[in-house]
DNA sequence: AACGTTCGCGCGAACGTTCGCCTATATGAT
DNA sequence: ATCATATAGGCGAACGTTCGCGCGAACGTT
């Protein structure tokens, strides 16, 4: 079993040609019941397993799906990765594919990594994450006509298959909840306007406020990088507003800023959940252990990963895509902070 | 460029045989300067890149490293994964290898996944994590003589290459720090005795206490699964001890239990860092944002990932391994909780 | 002038698989 | 008896690469 068991070995044992073994095992040839039996037994007893490299060679494809992700800084957490990767790997394996993770490069050379994987025929398609407006990878792959599915949308005029979480629906849900609890001055800690995901999430905030006929409080929309420190500083500014203008609730476009907000509230001697209500976004695993536990919006990450691979495999098999765009609904997880 | 550029295409353009192109590009054949130039230019202008599938076919290897990890439950965080995976992927790529992630299976069928990847020749070697005593994968791979490197030790009598973090050194550092600050009753929230990693980390606790000549306080060593809830309950039990027996400091073998401990302290109206000192283990990215920020022990994960791949690649290239066992030192990260 | 030696390059083979085509025998219809 | 047809399985080729061997020409030595 350790020396390579090839079709020829099985054929020798079964007393047929190796091509016949191939066809029989792949169900492409009808043979006499006895021969069929002999071949199956030989394959079984020798422990034959097809050499995937040779299969790839013959098929001219690698049955690999390229995937690259931005590595978070060591003090940030990528709680997404485990779920997303695991779900993709499982879905891919079920379809006879595997994932090929490769290092993420910033800037100009980013597309080079994709080009190289295509040129060396290491992958049959890509799953993209962290896409943004005018993502060079999308332009490149569309131009090359190379199969890919993106987790996340980009420019509306670019036509490509994607799966995304409906961020607007998430914040809308959260803001509606806050409005129903009587809050009127609801602040938002947002990302810079250049962030597509940020704009999506923010949209739900506007929608909910407008639908309720509640005008935005002045100074209540703050933007910055989504870090703890930025969240803290923005919140301190909000809390220093005169009493009548000060927001009673706050929604952050990610958990890290929400945690910064909670920290700021404590610095001002306020109790989160009572004096200031805070809602985050992402529902990172640890936020349930914060004091108080953070209300946040959870994305169906595993489902997204499965869907991305499922769609990509459909493309790779040359079948028509049922739905080119999939929008998944996030869920508000209520905890003591709101 | 989109139609396949093979050696033959380059050869046709350069006016030589395709085998010559191969050898020249691989630096295995000395040719006249003019021919050399012609070949390089042809390869360049056509954008030739070797077909990796064919290379694998020829070499009889896949240049892939199999890796599988236990998926944490959705409410736990695997902050390790991003760093570990990224570092491995980078190191592998630099050596001409790629990572092949595959789904983790529990129980009996776990080894089957490894067997299948070997039989179908999809991987040349494995990196193992989450190894424990009598890990069936280690037994299987040793028996097969298939190359692998483990991140984590197993039974002492099993001889295989590994990289590990010196957990004992980590807790020793932490306990020495606590002792130097005057603490004498130092509790430990530990894992069940069946956990190898737990025993390693606990060892440092014993060593430091013994070296200082401080006897362990009774009831101060508690064991359980490393969850928030277990950490909380164990700490409540400690805090309910009579004043003279109650520990003044506590070290948890992972951050999740430490966070449970902080929660328990708050429930009893104690202030962490003043009334009860808490140290965690792992230094998960978010613990810096807890209130108070958690002192914890950080493992050099990226370094471990690089080392694992480096050693495995050395094995795969048939070179002798400099060091079969690598023990990396963790670092105590001091914050307000201790 | 004859003879090794090096240089520059071509040629055939092989890795293991799948696919299309071919052949020989058996089966049925005319 | 003849011919078309189906059945069972063999055979050659190809995917793109690398590797070992061979061969002619140029070169230097005696």
């Amino acid at each position: 079993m350790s020396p390579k068991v090839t079709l020829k070995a099985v054929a020798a044992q079964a007393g047929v040609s190796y091509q016949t073994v191939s066809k029989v095992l792949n169900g492409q040839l009808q043979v006499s019941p006895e021969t069929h039996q002999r071949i199956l037994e030989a394959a079984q007893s020798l422990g034959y397993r097809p050499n995937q490299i040779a299969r790839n060679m013959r098929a001219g494809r690698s049955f690999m799906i390229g995937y690259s992700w931005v590595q978070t800084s060591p003090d940030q957490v990528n709680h997404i990765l485990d779920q997303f990767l695991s779900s993709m790997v499982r879905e891919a394996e079920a379809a006879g594919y595997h994932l090929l993770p490769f290092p993420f490069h910033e800037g100009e050379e980013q597309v080079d990594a994709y080009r190289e994987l295509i040129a060396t025929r290491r992958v049959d398609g890509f799953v993209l994450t962290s896409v943004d407006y005018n993502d060079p990878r999308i332009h490149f792959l569309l131009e090359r006509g190379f199969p890919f599915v993106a987790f996340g949308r980009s420019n509306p005029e670019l036509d490509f298959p994607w799966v995304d979480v409906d961020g607007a629906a998430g914040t809308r849900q959260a803001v509606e909840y806050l409005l129903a609890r009587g809050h009127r001055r609801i602040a938002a800690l947002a990302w810079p306007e250049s962030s597509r995901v940020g704009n999506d999430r923010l949209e739900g905030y506007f929608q909910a406020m407008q639908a309720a006929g509640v005008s935005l409080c002045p100074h209540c929309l703050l933007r910055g990088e989504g870090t703890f420190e930025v969240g803290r500083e923005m919140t301190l500014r909000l809390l220093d507003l005169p009493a009548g203008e000060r927001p009673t609730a706050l929604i952050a476009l990610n958990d890290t800023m929400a945690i910064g907000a909670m920290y700021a509230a404590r610095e001002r001697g306020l109790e989160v959940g009572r004096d200031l209500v805070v809602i985050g976004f992402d529902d990172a695993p640890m936020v349930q252990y914060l004091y108080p536990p953070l209300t946040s919006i959870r994305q169906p990450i595993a489902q997204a990963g499965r869907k991305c691979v499922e769609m990509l495999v459909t493309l790779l098999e040359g079948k028509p895509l049922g739905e080119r765009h999939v929008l998944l609904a996030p869920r508000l997880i209520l905890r003591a902070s709101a």
Side-chain angles (χ1 to χ4, degrees), chain A residues 21-254:
Chain A
V21 176
S22 167
K23 288 177 193 172
V24 168
L25 291 181
N26 291 326
Q28 299 181 358
L29 183 60
Q30 184 79 317
V31 294
S32 74
E34 309 85 59
T35 312
H36 191 90
Q37 184 68 10
R38 276 208 323 280
I39 292 177
L40 255 55
E41 275 173 9
Q44 178 83 27
S45 76
L46 293 174
Y48 171 76
R49 299 268 56 217
N51 182 324
Q52 186 64 28
I53 300 175
R55 280 198 155 164
N56 295 348
M57 178 74 175
R58 169 70 207 194
R61 340 184 352 204
S62 62
F63 294 94
M64 290 269 172
I65 297 170
Y67 177 62
S68 177
W69 66 96
V70 283
Q71 190 185 3
T72 52
S73 62
D75 65 328
Q76 288 272 331
V77 73
N78 191 345
H79 57 276
I80 298 296
L81 189 65
D82 187 5
Q83 284 188 70
F84 192 64
L85 223 43
S86 294
S87 63
M88 284 202 295
V89 164
R90 274 175 209 285
E91 182 78 19
E93 199 199 37
Y97 287 79
H98 280 275
L99 223 61
L100 189 86
F102 60 100
F104 189 90
H105 294 281
E106 299 282 354
E108 274 311 305
E109 67 234 276
Q110 189 189 1
V111 167
D112 291 346
Y114 288 77
R115 191 200 320 277
E116 176 73 3
L117 288 173
I118 297 174
T120 55
R121 308 212 118 69
R122 264 180 246 251
V123 300
D124 297 341
F126 290 102
V127 169
L128 264 46
T129 50
S130 304
V131 307
D132 212 324
Y133 295 127
N134 289 313
D135 195 305
R137 299 171 299 172
I138 294 182
H139 285 284
F140 170 72
L141 293 172
L142 279 177
E143 195 177 337
R144 290 277 305 225
F146 201 80
F148 74 101
V149 173
F151 177 29
R153 287 162 278 177
S154 181
N155 305 18
E157 72 271 18
L158 292 177
D159 178 41
F160 60 91
W162 50 254
V163 174
D164 204 358
V165 171
D166 192 345
T171 45
R172 200 164 53 227
Q173 233 182 110
V175 173
E176 280 166 2
Y177 170 79
L178 293 174
L179 288 166
R181 300 272 302 229
H183 292 279
R184 287 301 172 265
R185 290 195 302 280
I186 302 172
L189 306 188
W191 286 327
E193 294 185 47
S194 57
S195 159
R196 214 212 60 82
V197 175
N199 292 345
D200 175 29
R201 295 185 180 177
L202 203 50
E203 191 54 37
Y205 167 76
F206 293 138
Q207 287 170 3
M209 294 293 268
Q210 194 162 1
V214 177
S215 59
L216 303 183
C217 46
H219 318 299
C220 271
L221 173 57
L222 298 172
R223 292 176 186 271
E225 301 300 324
T227 63
F228 172 86
E229 204 45 53
V230 164
R232 175 177 161 268
E233 282 167 9
M234 294 197 297
T235 305
L236 287 178
R237 264 189 283 157
L238 288 171
L239 296 179
D240 288 344
L241 287 173
E245 294 182 28
R246 209 162 73 185
T248 61
L250 173 162
I251 175 163
L253 295 199
N254 71 5

Side-chain angles (χ1 to χ4, degrees), chain A residues 9-21:
Chain A
V10 177
Q13 173 131 342
V16 292
S17 79
Y18 67 94
Q19 296 97 329
T20 300
V21 176

